[in-house]
Amino acid sequence: HPGDGYLAWQQYRRNTAGVNVDQYAVYKHIVVDAQEGAVIRSAVDELAQGMEGITGTKVSISGDNESAPGIIIGIFGTGTGIDELFSAGVSSAVKAEGYAIQTDSLTGNIAIGAVTSAGILYGVFHLLRIMGTGGSVRQLSIVENPVNQLRMINQWDNMDGSVERGYAGKSIFYEDNRITGNLQRIQDYARLLASSGINAIAINNVNVHRVESRLLTEFLPDVAKLAAIFRAYAIKLFLSVNYASTMEIGGLPSADPLDSDVREWWRAAASEIYAAIPDFGGFLVKADSENRPGPFTYGRDHADGANMLAEALKPHGGIVIWRCFVYNCKQDWRDRTTDRARAAYDHFQPLDGRFMDNVILQVKNGPIDFQVREPVSPLLGAMPQTNQVIEFQIAQEYTGQQRHVCYLVPQWKEILNFDTHLQGEGTSVKRIVDGSVHGNAYSGFAAVSNIGNDTNWTGHLLAQANLFGYGRLAWNPQMSAEKIALEWIMLTFGTNELLVQTILDILMNSWEIYESYTAPLGVGFMVNPDHHYGPNVDGYEYSMWGTYHFADCYGIGVDRTTATGTGYTSQYARTNMERYESLESCPDELLLFFHHVPYTHVLHSGKTVIQHIYDTHFAGAERASQLAAAWELVKDQVGEQAYRQVADRLAEQAEHAKEWRDRINTYFLRKSGIADQWGRTIY
Ligand code: GCU
């Protein structure tokens, strides 16, 4: 499918702009001792296919190095001679999913060594990334191990073919309440995920309804087929389960986690699953959250519920990933004492120490819900005896729904670099989620996918950068957002300098631009109810969802201080608590998340809150319209189809940003009665 975005960052094209392709073309031979095992086969296929595309010549595959230089692949310690091709100490530095790549200066041979076939696969993708971005292969000396153990994708796909918060078409997994027959597309997705470093996937929505409950039972043979596809790319398959499966499909009268019949049902279900899928990953669970069933019904808590499932999976090596997105979604807006931001911590933190060791709690990055700006969830790291993974949303539910461009890696980086101070200075979120702070058995990243059956996977072509970037960041959170963007741009579009710089600028500015014309200063929401697209300042103000801004004619914001507000700030370690608690030290971008202030309050920037709102909204809409002009510069480099896809969306974004600007500015002019200092048009 040339040019339509289907190949995403796996173009494997001859890339001649400023690149010496000849240095790759001398490699016409892949040497691999035994091609046993699906993952090794995937790796070798990928390498052959990639090399052929990049060099334009066919490569051969065999057990001997017939014509040096070749690319030699092998597992360390298996007597194939691979160990000897590396400098001393290299093979022992490589861990489970890691790899080493080294060029021999005499022969020019490139060796890829690993201790598992998954490591080989990642090593192959690394080499292809170097070639695809025009890097030199003459002196490679690379050792890489993933920083995070679990690097997971969550599909929010329903079996009727819809995707919850999906902005790129229908599900690639399901149609008409069945698992798809289009297994090729699933395999292509597995390749994309593996090439960015993903090693786990939950294939159905966390909101599990009746038909999806049967994935555990009658659909199991088809689930096993999907598991086989992902297995060949070293990706473990998980299922989201209905907490009340015993009642929904099991014919039992209860889902009480302490009921012996209920426990027995889950044990039997787990045995059946492992008989069909011996390396099944485990269950992902949304319980007692947004009207989904859970242990509360029986007077039990989350630990009781999670442990019941963990016990069933334990003999098979499976894990339970239990989500912490639990809050009262039937709040009365008149009730100022309930604060949704507090909920995850209040529910879970007291349970530290009660979860089995094969339970992981999955915590959303912020306390509310994937807003363009939120503080970091205080629950992250606050349960030293409990495994945790952080949950991001690659799908742009609140960041433009893949109609606006919003490169999210800079946001994720900021979150990962946040210092929780939980064990003194330097207790960053990335060190909590990589398991090193608390020495967890399990830890890592999870994120909601942004793909669907649109030809280019993500609707907005530039949104592919978020899927790629998530995987790369999960592998190594030290990578800069810019480096990740550069890799993605070059692999996807080529190495032309103007093109690379132009797209880089668009991506790197996009989050700030989106934030500047939407909800200001961390206050969140202000979107249309239900679908969450487009401006509606009071859309949730009088609803039961707990997401309010409290704007009146004097001021705006939520008082979450301990002194006079909801006490949310007390959930942070002292240093952060004090920073957020005080108006003097609270960062501008989160001011309205933590404080209710008059419109005339002066920010650190020197502007009043009201003038900041006006200024950012005018500037943001203006900058959004410049994105389209920037994209036009690369028209000839990206090809007609790709150009059109993005140009149309940028045009829509520019228009929609004006709508945002005018709704927000008008609302606040009317509420505050304070004119814009510069006298611009506000309606
Ligand atoms: C958000 C989203 C829901 C989703 C929920 C969740 O609230 O709007 O569609 O189900 O998050 O993460 O469970």
Side-chain angles (χ1 to χ4, degrees):
H1 318 259
D4 61 10
Y6 188 80
L7 295 176
W9 55 87
Q10 295 182 314
Q11 304 282 332
Y12 301 139
R13 71 164 86 73
R14 262 177 90 75
N15 212 350
T16 48
V19 177
N20 167 15
V21 190
D22 295 344
Q23 61 171 320
Y24 316 135
V26 296
Y27 295 94
K28 297 193 171 60
H29 197 57
I30 298 171
V31 188
V32 51
D33 208 42
Q35 287 187 55
E36 275 156 41
V39 178
I40 291 280
R41 272 199 301 280
S42 303
V44 172
D45 282 355
E46 195 73 34
L47 186 58
Q49 187 189 331
M51 294 289 299
E52 283 171 19
I54 290 167
T55 65
T57 47
K58 196 147 179 60
V59 298
S60 62
I61 303 163
S62 75
D64 308 305
N65 198 1
E66 296 151 1
S67 56
I71 299 176
I72 306 169
I73 291 173
I75 306 272
F76 291 130
T78 52
T80 58
I82 191 80
D83 304 62
E84 289 77 54
L85 299 179
F86 287 86
S87 315
V90 167
S91 62
S92 57
V94 174
K95 306 278 170 334
E97 296 173 291
Y99 54 84
I101 308 177
Q102 193 167 311
T103 311
D104 185 303
S105 54
L106 288 177
T107 59
N109 286 327
I110 298 174
I112 305 177
V115 292
T116 61
S117 51
I120 296 289
L121 182 67
Y122 297 131
V124 161
F125 281 124
H126 189 140
L127 183 62
L128 288 171
R129 247 187 338 263
I130 293 173
M131 295 182 179
T133 55
S136 168
V137 295
R138 294 220 171 89
Q139 294 177 358
L140 298 176
S141 172
I142 296 167
V143 176
E144 279 261 351
N145 292 300
V147 173
N148 291 291
Q149 181 194 21
L150 194 69
R151 304 180 300 278
M152 186 167 191
I153 284 286
N154 293 177
Q155 294 300 136
W156 280 3
D157 296 39
N158 302 311
M159 288 192 71
D160 65 3
S162 63
V163 180
E164 177 142 352
R165 311 306 176 186
Y167 311 109
K170 297 282 220 179
S171 173
I172 66 164
F173 287 85
Y174 312 101
E175 54 206 336
D176 303 328
N177 292 322
R178 281 179 294 111
I179 289 181
T180 181
N182 184 358
L183 298 181
Q184 184 59 50
R185 181 128 203 194
I186 304 286
Q187 188 189 346
D188 290 340
Y189 186 42
R191 282 179 57 217
L192 275 179
L193 293 180
S195 72
S196 71
I198 298 301
N199 68 357
I201 186 167
I203 60 164
N204 61 304
N205 188 4
V206 289
N207 294 314
V208 186
H209 298 284
R210 192 173 195 103
V211 55
E212 292 87 11
S213 301
R214 300 184 345 237
L215 286 168
L216 299 180
T217 51
E218 76 176 80
F219 294 113
L220 199 51
D222 286 332
V223 174
K225 284 186 198 153
L226 298 182
I229 294 172
F230 285 107
R231 180 181 304 122
Y233 289 89
I235 297 170
K236 256 187 205 258
L237 185 136
F238 288 68
L239 288 173
S240 296
V241 298
N242 182 340
Y243 178 79
S245 293
T246 46
M247 299 164 76
E248 190 84 52
I249 56 170
L252 296 182
S254 166
D256 182 348
L258 303 190
D259 179 308
S260 56
D261 290 342
V262 171
R263 297 173 90 90
E264 183 46 40
W265 188 91
W266 280 106
R267 271 196 291 271
S271 297
E272 302 257 315
I273 295 169
Y274 280 90
I277 308 169
D279 58 352
F280 180 68
F283 298 147
L284 173 62
V285 195
K286 172 175 179 175
D288 284 317
S289 162
E290 296 186 329
N291 308 313
R292 302 311 302 147
F296 286 175
T297 308
Y298 309 94
R300 317 295 183 196
D301 62 26
H302 290 283
D304 297 324
N307 289 343
M308 167 192 65
L309 298 174
E311 188 189 81
L313 293 171
K314 181 115 185 155
H316 311 281
I319 54 182
V320 173
I321 305 180
W322 191 272
R323 296 178 81 236
C324 297
F325 185 59
V326 177
Y327 67 99
N328 177 5
C329 66
K330 298 218 170 80
Q331 188 181 332
D332 185 334
W333 62 268
R334 300 167 192 84
D335 163 22
R336 297 285 287 257
T337 60
T338 304
D339 178 5
R340 170 167 162 182
R342 292 188 56 130
Y345 186 100
D346 284 346
H347 278 292
F348 286 91
Q349 204 283 333
L351 301 177
D352 189 27
R354 295 237 351 259
F355 292 94
M356 282 175 64
D357 60 3
N358 60 330
V359 175
I360 308 179
L361 298 186
Q362 180 164 310
V363 185
K364 283 192 182 183
N365 64 261
I368 301 283
D369 196 9
F370 303 131
Q371 299 301 293
V372 68
R373 177 75 64 177
E374 284 184 55
V376 166
S377 169
L379 187 58
L380 286 162
M383 301 179 67
Q385 302 174 68
T386 308
N387 301 314
Q388 292 185 333
V389 293
I390 191 167
E391 178 177 335
F392 293 117
Q393 194 183 40
I394 311 171
Q396 292 170 238
E397 178 175 358
Y398 298 98
T399 49
Q401 303 200 350
Q402 290 147 242
R403 312 207 66 80
H404 296 227
V405 56
C406 191
Y407 177 51
L408 290 166
V409 175
Q411 186 203 49
W412 299 334
K413 289 278 303 178
E414 218 171 275
I415 293 159
L416 293 165
N417 288 335
F418 177 76
D419 193 346
T420 66
H421 287 274
L422 282 167
Q423 292 197 352
E425 203 180 325
T427 319
S428 60
V429 170
K430 67 184 169 214
R431 293 190 49 240
I432 287 162
V433 299
D434 74 17
S436 58
V437 168
H438 298 310
N440 304 101
Y442 298 101
S443 60
F445 281 38
V448 183
S449 180
N450 64 347
I451 68 113
N453 72 356
D454 278 5
T455 304
N456 71 6
W457 301 93
T458 52
H460 203 310
L461 189 60
L462 299 183
Q464 287 182 358
N466 287 329
L467 184 62
F468 176 80
Y470 167 72
R472 300 290 289 133
L473 206 58
W475 180 278
N476 179 10
Q478 302 287 15
M479 277 187 84
S480 74
E482 188 165 86
K483 167 93 169 69
I484 291 172
L486 281 170
E487 279 187 354
W488 177 77
I489 295 164
M490 291 196 246
L491 293 171
T492 308
F493 296 110
T495 47
N496 174 286
E497 227 178 286
L498 170 76
L499 171 141
V500 171
Q501 195 52 49
T502 304
I503 302 178
L504 183 66
D505 286 346
I506 293 176
L507 291 178
M508 292 304 291
N509 289 313
S510 59
W511 174 39
E512 191 183 293
I513 293 174
Y514 189 79
E515 179 175 19
S516 66
Y517 59 76
T518 56
L521 299 166
V523 78
F525 279 81
M526 302 194 165
V527 290
N528 284 302
D530 304 331
H531 58 71
H532 298 163
Y533 190 66
N536 186 342
V537 180
D538 283 338
Y540 277 96
E541 198 56 15
Y542 308 101
S543 76
M544 60 191 181
W545 296 94
T547 53
Y548 315 117
H549 53 69
F550 301 124
D552 59 18
C553 66
Y554 307 107
I556 177 174
V558 189
D559 184 355
R560 293 194 162 102
T561 64
T562 304
T564 55
T566 68
Y568 167 77
T569 56
S570 69
Q571 296 181 343
Y572 290 93
R574 184 160 207 98
T575 316
N576 286 327
M577 186 266 197
E578 285 170 355
R579 183 154 150 264
Y580 292 140
E581 182 80 5
S582 123
L583 264 180
E584 280 65 53
S585 54
C586 184
D588 283 352
E589 71 272 13
L590 287 171
L591 182 73
L592 303 182
F593 191 92
F594 286 104
H595 296 273
H596 186 90
V597 295
Y599 294 112
T600 51
H601 174 84
V602 179
L603 298 167
H604 296 116
S605 69
K607 289 183 184 181
T608 60
V609 166
I610 191 72
Q611 195 57 41
H612 171 94
I613 292 175
Y614 297 150
D615 287 354
T616 50
H617 285 75
F618 281 114
E622 177 59 31
R623 289 176 75 194
S625 71
Q626 288 161 4
L627 294 174
W631 181 248
E632 226 184 288
L633 292 177
V634 297
K635 186 168 184 175
D636 297 335
Q637 273 87 41
V638 298
E640 182 54 28
Q641 282 202 58
Y643 176 75
R644 269 277 121 245
Q645 286 184 26
V646 176
D648 289 350
R649 302 226 170 191
L650 291 178
E652 177 181 341
Q653 177 177 358
E655 271 315 298
H656 201 228
K658 287 186 208 152
E659 181 72 11
W660 268 101
R661 174 196 67 195
D662 293 337
R663 292 270 202 137
I664 301 259
N665 283 346
T666 300
Y667 179 96
F668 286 105
L669 175 65
R670 290 180 185 177
K671 279 266 155 155
S672 71
I674 303 173
D676 170 35
Q677 191 182 337
W678 308 109
R680 290 163 290 195
T681 307
I682 299 178
Y683 299 88

